[in-house]
Amino acid sequence: GDPSATAMSVTVPTALPMAMSQTGDVTTADNCQIINNSYGAVRVKSVTISAENGWRLTAFGDKSTLASEKVDSNKLGFALSIGGGKEVMTKGNASTQRLIAAPMDGCYMTGVGDPNGNTAAIEYAAIVTPMSGAVNNTTIANVIFVIEWDLAE
């Protein structure tokens, strides 16, 4: 056959679930990861978060920073780390925020032939304002991961 480029095949989570307790503690999944199924090495180029469905972003920090907010203010503070790299977080109240603007430590994955390096764990945390009722199966933000080849420079 004709020569062609290597096919990129990367699995990225379609959801980053979270649940808030009655005392305001947020629990997140501990098994989210990016898996490079490609023959070639890839990297996370960028990560962006956008608030959805009447929610707004706020600075991530200790949940006590939201204690003075009105109930049902629908604010989310979010932080994540990819592959054990630096934790990045929302800052301020812009409705869309770039969490990662360029590849950094933890964002690089080898090709599928190296089972020790072709995945990157996603660790994340959140704080949310108090709620007067349960919010179930609702998208409150979209997190967009942009993946690219890890090219020779």
Side-chain angles (χ1 to χ4, degrees):
D2 293 328
S4 60
T6 303
M8 182 181 286
S9 174
V10 179
T11 304
V12 178
T14 57
L16 297 174
M18 60 184 76
M20 183 177 75
S21 72
Q22 293 176 333
T23 59
D25 296 314
V26 177
T27 302
T28 59
D30 62 2
N31 60 349
C32 293
Q33 62 182 350
I34 300 170
I35 304 170
N36 180 15
N37 303 301
S38 310
Y39 175 61
V42 299
R43 62 189 181 191
V44 177
K45 177 181 180 182
S46 65
V47 179
T48 304
I49 185 170
S50 298
E52 298 291 332
N53 296 314
W55 282 76
R56 294 178 292 162
L57 298 176
T58 191
F60 178 81
D62 189 276
K63 71 177 183 177
S64 65
T65 61
L66 300 179
S68 63
E69 295 286 343
K70 302 273 188 203
V71 173
D72 294 336
S73 294
N74 293 354
K75 292 183 179 180
L76 165 72
F78 187 82
L80 71 80
S81 172
I82 297 176
K86 178 183 170 192
E87 183 179 66
V88 294
M89 61 195 73
T90 53
K91 299 175 184 346
N93 59 4
S95 61
T96 298
Q97 298 184 31
R98 172 92 24 115
L99 299 175
I100 296 176
M104 55 196 286
D105 286 347
C107 290
Y108 295 83
M109 289 157 275
T110 62
V112 73
D114 179 2
N116 296 318
N118 74 314
T119 63
I122 300 171
E123 296 178 13
Y124 63 104
I127 57 172
V128 295
T129 48
M131 305 298 297
S132 64
V135 177
N136 295 309
N137 300 318
T138 301
T139 299
I140 62 173
N142 281 318
V143 179
I144 306 296
F145 297 88
V146 177
I147 310 295
E148 67 182 359
W149 290 117
D150 187 10
L151 298 172
E153 300 293 326

